[in-house]
Amino acid sequence: MAEGFKIDQRHGKSRVRVARVWRPPNRSSGGAHVIVEWEVDVSLFSDCLPAYTSDDNSSIVATDSIKNTVYGKAKECTKELTMEQFAILLARHFTTYYPQVTGAIVSINEKPWERVFIDGKPHSHGFKLGSEMRTTEVTMKKCGAVNIISGLKKLSLLKTTQSGFEGFVRDKYTILPDTRERIVATEVTSSWRYKFENISQIPPVPFCFRERYNGVKKVLTDTFFGPVDVGVYSPSVQNTLYLMATAVLNRFEEIEWVHLKMPNLHFLPLNLSSKENPNMVKFADDVYLPTDEPHGTIQATISRAMSKL
């Protein structure tokens, strides 16, 4: 409270881009290089009320210092670590190093650099840009309470059959026909919360956030597609979303909830005709018009009965 007003404030630095390379200790002996490229956002909760109500900046951690801390801490990480571990490291630094900082939120997007394979063999230092992007957001308080949410963006999935949509509400505005045969395509955005509530609860190595990310992505994609020979029928994007989320919760006990956003990217059947040629293009489950605007948007959060949303 200040002068009869309530102030809820925080400050930080956004879109701090940093890349970190880990090389083998002895370059002459060979070995694989590792690179990560991160976009880091840091937001600090701090007791700096006089900076807002007067000309006293003595308690402000400058946003330029926040940016430089990201670079400095990246330099200190001589051993490979995941973006979740780096976010935890940053959040812990800001909440312990500065007495006036009571909490921190660190969000990171990781660009999808993937190792190149030449003649079936992994290249030691060659990478190509992939598609989906990894994300994380770590919220930490000075007492060590922590909230870790990881996720992914732009995971594009499509199957050319085993999908339909029928039996939906019909009214005077409905022109969409029922179908049991269509293309279903989406670009998945997902996030999931780990059950850890204090930094002391985070398991040491061999627990690895990257391995868990790869596992979640595999469960999501495997559930979407089904077995390689026959697939699995999808009566709606809603049902597929639910099955994907519950499969993750059933597979990984340390995950409390899963949020999925799955736009329905339409592939419209193409029929072309004219007076002279009424069957110029006759659709037979083969020629489509891909569209991404407008698109249906389906999203839901699936959680365990006692989880905290």
Side-chain angles (χ1 to χ4, degrees):
M1 298 290 293
E3 301 174 353
F5 299 100
K6 185 178 180 180
I7 301 178
D8 184 11
Q9 53 79 27
R10 55 179 172 165
H11 75 283
K13 202 76 165 183
S14 295
R15 303 191 70 176
V16 181
R17 295 183 61 182
V18 58
R20 182 61 161 98
V21 176
W22 290 282
R23 295 180 171 88
N26 186 352
R27 297 188 182 186
S28 61
S29 62
H33 295 198
V34 175
I35 184 171
V36 291
E37 182 180 344
W38 292 327
E39 182 181 278
V40 183
D41 289 1
V42 178
S43 190
L44 303 182
F45 299 91
S46 62
D47 296 326
C48 58
L49 187 60
Y52 289 86
T53 59
S54 64
D55 59 356
D56 183 358
N57 297 331
S58 59
S59 59
I60 291 181
V61 179
T63 64
D64 187 68
S65 300
I66 296 173
K67 175 199 69 178
N68 294 336
T69 300
V70 173
Y71 300 144
K73 289 300 178 182
K75 174 68 175 179
E76 293 176 11
C77 295
T78 56
K79 292 184 179 180
E80 180 186 351
L81 78 170
T82 65
M83 56 192 259
E84 288 90 351
Q85 292 168 320
F86 188 63
I88 292 168
L89 183 153
L90 287 175
R92 193 172 190 180
H93 168 81
F94 287 117
T95 55
T96 58
Y97 188 78
Y98 298 102
Q100 70 273 32
V101 174
T102 59
I105 300 176
V106 181
S107 302
I108 302 178
N109 291 330
E110 180 174 301
K111 207 164 185 176
W113 289 110
E114 300 174 350
R115 192 172 304 280
V116 168
F117 281 73
I118 305 294
D119 296 330
K121 297 181 180 180
H123 199 283
S124 65
H125 57 270
F127 299 84
K128 65 181 179 66
L129 194 60
S131 54
E132 73 275 0
M133 179 180 293
R134 288 188 63 205
T135 65
T136 193
E137 179 181 279
V138 172
T139 303
M140 187 180 296
K141 297 181 179 179
K142 190 177 286 291
C143 64
V146 69
N147 184 61
I148 304 172
I149 298 174
S150 293
L152 56 82
K153 297 178 181 178
K154 299 182 178 181
L155 176 62
S156 296
L157 305 176
L158 178 152
K159 56 183 184 179
T160 56
T161 189
Q162 285 285 57
S163 174
F165 189 55
E166 55 187 342
F168 48 88
V169 174
R170 290 196 168 276
D171 55 36
K172 63 181 181 179
Y173 298 108
T174 304
I175 61 174
L176 184 69
D178 285 2
T179 182
R180 290 188 62 83
E181 180 60 56
R182 66 172 183 171
I183 289 178
V184 62
T186 188
E187 188 178 83
V188 179
T189 298
S190 180
S191 57
W192 53 89
R193 183 190 185 277
Y194 291 100
K195 68 179 181 180
F196 315 124
E197 296 185 352
N198 192 283
I199 192 170
S200 62
Q201 297 176 347
I202 301 173
V205 176
F207 183 86
C208 179
F209 288 103
R210 186 177 296 277
E211 290 179 2
R212 187 61 70 247
Y213 167 82
N214 289 332
V216 170
K217 187 177 77 167
K218 185 177 188 304
V219 169
L220 291 175
T221 54
D222 288 357
T223 306
F224 179 88
F225 291 114
V228 295
D229 50 349
V230 295
V232 61
Y233 182 71
S234 170
S236 66
V237 176
Q238 285 86 343
N239 179 251
T240 298
L241 181 154
Y242 176 78
L243 295 176
M244 291 165 67
T246 54
V248 171
L249 292 175
N250 288 330
R251 175 67 178 82
F252 303 109
E253 63 178 14
E254 68 274 11
I255 293 177
E256 281 197 331
W257 54 256
V258 178
H259 178 81
L260 282 168
K261 182 177 181 181
M262 295 174 57
N264 190 4
L265 305 178
H266 304 301
F267 282 69
L268 306 178
L270 263 177
N271 287 296
L272 298 180
S273 63
S274 66
K275 288 183 178 181
E276 295 76 18
N277 188 356
N279 295 315
M280 185 184 309
V281 173
K282 188 68 172 177
F283 178 71
D285 296 324
D286 50 5
V287 181
Y288 301 82
L289 173 63
T291 66
D292 54 11
E293 294 181 356
H295 60 247
T297 300
I298 296 91
Q299 58 183 313
T301 302
I302 315 298
S303 60
R304 304 183 191 279
M306 302 301 291
S307 68
K308 296 181 180 179
L309 292 178

